[in-house]
Amino acid sequence: MKKKYKIIFWICGVFLVIFFVANISIGSYAPRLVEQQIQQNLKLKVSLGKISLNLPFTIVLEKLEIGDLASIKKISFCPNLVALLFGKIVIHGLNIIEPVINLQQSAQGKLNLPFLDQKGKSPVIYLTSLNLRDGKIIFTDKKASAEGFQVIVNKLNIKVAKVALPITSLATNFTLSAQLLSQQAEPFGEIAFSGWLDYLAKDLDAELEIKDLDVTKFSVYYGNFISSRKLASARLDLTSIFKAKNNVLQISTKFNLSNLVYMDAQEQLLNVDLMKNALDIFTDSKGNLSLEFDIDTLLDKPDLNQEKLQKIILKAAAKNLSNQSPQQIIDKVTSIIDQYKGVGKELKAIFN
């Protein structure tokens, strides 16, 4: 019995020595090798603060800087050694802590993402789980505006893991949450997305929730789609249920636009398409626009262009007329006519 314990003791001792030597070697030589490899592929200056090896077999990278594109406080993962013997790269528990990504789109619509200069066939990497914590994405769009429209995705948290049961399932659970910030670091909305996906079977069951989103922050994109009158404030709350079976995807959405406040009515109101004020007619007595609509499309090739969404939203808005009295509709139309009384010809063409 004592001999058996001695053998176990010696095996553990040899393993610890090998682990200690490997840790020293990795800490001394690996950072430079990793820097060179990333720099060669991305053509960006790279620096890495530290690489270490933790028990049982977890590789940890700290203070990774990739040019002006990204900085990551810590990355850790556990490679499957058995899979490596069979020529496959399987990674368990990829953790990415406090990444900061700086995305920029030029006036010509080109993103600052590097082109991967990789020779030969790249190895297939199998990832069993992902945990991204406290991330930040700073997006600057010079195509939307010359000075550069900017939005910040803050407190980004993502978890992705294979469904535990049944064992044969290929479905993947996922959760995503984030806070949106303006260029002045003011919060103006929250996003949450969670559910499961089996991409091979083209099945999906998920829910998207948007809370307290100040849509006026995105006026450079929607223009006068909501109304030709410039909005000073408008809050969006939205819940969408995504269900797909055999690639047939249906998105059921509850859309509520509230706190609609317009800029001074004496602003530029001439020479505009009055039908752009259609959504004003469909709001309730409190000035809120609540809609429910479905979108039918495909999971692998979703068709969600602006023209199609506009038609779906206007169709859903038309249903709201049944909940309004004729007098309410007349009052709203009259109000719009009064605002545009200086453009009689256009009014006659629309309302006659």
Side-chain angles (χ1 to χ4, degrees):
M1 184 64 70
K2 290 183 178 179
K3 185 177 181 181
K4 182 179 179 180
Y5 283 126
K6 285 183 178 179
I7 293 174
I8 295 174
F9 176 79
W10 279 106
I11 290 174
C12 291
V14 171
F15 174 79
L16 289 175
V17 170
I18 294 174
F19 177 83
F20 182 72
V21 173
N23 208 356
I24 294 176
S25 300
I26 288 175
S28 301
Y29 302 107
R32 182 57 182 161
L33 293 175
V34 172
E35 289 175 355
Q36 290 176 343
Q37 188 64 34
I38 298 176
Q39 192 163 308
Q40 179 180 347
N41 289 329
L42 301 184
K43 306 301 182 185
L44 293 173
K45 184 178 180 181
V46 177
S47 67
L48 179 61
K50 180 182 178 183
I51 295 184
S52 58
L53 186 63
N54 295 342
L55 290 172
F57 191 76
T58 302
I59 299 174
V60 180
L61 290 74
E62 298 182 46
K63 296 181 180 179
L64 177 63
E65 304 276 347
I66 305 175
D68 295 327
L69 178 64
S71 65
I72 305 173
K73 182 178 181 180
K74 182 185 290 187
I75 300 175
S76 65
F77 58 92
C78 182
N80 188 313
L81 299 180
V82 176
L84 283 174
L85 297 177
F86 292 91
K88 295 184 178 180
I89 301 176
V90 179
I91 295 176
H92 302 295
L94 175 60
N95 296 287
I96 305 173
I97 311 300
E98 296 184 22
V100 178
I101 311 297
N102 292 290
L103 285 180
Q104 294 185 18
Q105 180 168 249
S106 69
Q108 293 73 36
K110 185 178 180 181
L111 289 172
N112 63 328
L113 295 175
F115 175 76
L116 290 175
D117 184 13
Q118 203 167 36
K119 297 179 180 179
K121 187 178 179 181
S122 59
V124 178
I125 300 176
Y126 300 91
L127 183 63
T128 61
S129 63
L130 166 68
N131 181 23
L132 186 150
R133 193 173 74 204
D134 293 331
K136 179 184 288 188
I137 300 174
I138 303 170
F139 177 61
T140 304
D141 190 352
K142 292 189 176 182
K143 184 178 180 180
S145 65
E147 62 274 15
F149 167 77
Q150 190 174 89
V151 62
I152 301 170
V153 180
N154 194 40
K155 296 181 180 179
L156 177 62
N157 293 285
I158 301 174
K159 287 186 178 181
V160 180
K162 182 183 177 298
V163 173
L165 294 173
I167 298 176
T168 56
S169 173
L170 296 176
T172 300
N173 286 323
F174 62 88
T175 61
L176 179 152
S177 64
Q179 177 190 59
L180 297 179
L181 302 179
S182 67
Q183 191 169 2
Q184 293 73 35
E186 299 172 344
F188 67 90
E190 296 179 357
I191 297 175
F193 190 37
S194 62
W196 62 265
L197 167 68
D198 187 340
Y199 193 74
L200 290 179
K202 300 294 190 293
D203 295 340
L204 170 69
D205 191 345
E207 179 177 347
L208 170 67
E209 188 174 16
I210 298 175
K211 294 181 179 179
D212 298 325
L213 180 68
D214 183 356
V215 298
T216 62
K217 300 296 185 185
F218 296 100
S219 60
V220 294
Y221 294 114
Y222 67 71
N224 56 7
F225 167 65
I226 295 177
S227 173
S228 62
R229 297 162 63 194
K230 188 173 181 181
L231 285 166
S233 72
R235 191 185 76 179
L236 174 64
D237 292 286
L238 177 146
T239 301
S240 290
I241 305 298
F242 296 73
K243 288 188 178 294
K245 188 69 177 177
N246 298 326
N247 203 35
V248 178
L249 172 64
Q250 183 178 68
I251 307 172
S252 301
T253 299
K254 292 183 178 180
F255 174 104
N256 185 63
L257 196 62
S258 61
N259 195 30
L260 292 168
V261 177
Y262 294 99
M263 301 290 278
D264 188 346
Q266 299 303 316
E267 288 188 347
Q268 303 176 20
L269 296 177
L270 300 178
N271 301 320
V272 295
D273 182 359
L274 299 186
M275 289 305 293
K276 293 290 180 64
N277 277 68
L279 294 185
D280 299 343
I281 299 175
F282 303 121
T283 56
D284 60 23
S285 59
K286 296 180 180 179
N288 300 333
L289 181 65
S290 297
L291 308 174
E292 293 188 20
F293 53 87
D294 294 333
I295 299 173
D296 296 309
T297 185
L298 298 177
L299 179 62
D300 60 352
K301 294 180 180 179
D303 181 13
L304 298 175
N305 59 68
Q306 182 174 333
E307 182 179 355
K308 182 176 181 178
L309 287 175
Q310 183 173 348
K311 289 180 180 179
I312 291 172
I313 291 175
L314 289 177
K315 184 179 179 180
K319 293 181 181 179
N320 286 4
L321 291 176
S322 61
N323 298 321
Q324 299 184 40
S325 67
Q327 187 59 48
Q328 286 177 313
I329 299 173
I330 292 172
D331 290 344
K332 289 180 180 180
V333 173
T334 302
S335 175
I336 293 175
I337 292 174
D338 288 342
Q339 293 169 22
Y340 291 86
K341 58 185 178 181
V343 285
K345 291 182 179 180
E346 289 84 352
L347 288 173
K348 183 177 288 187
I350 291 175
F351 292 103
N352 283 349

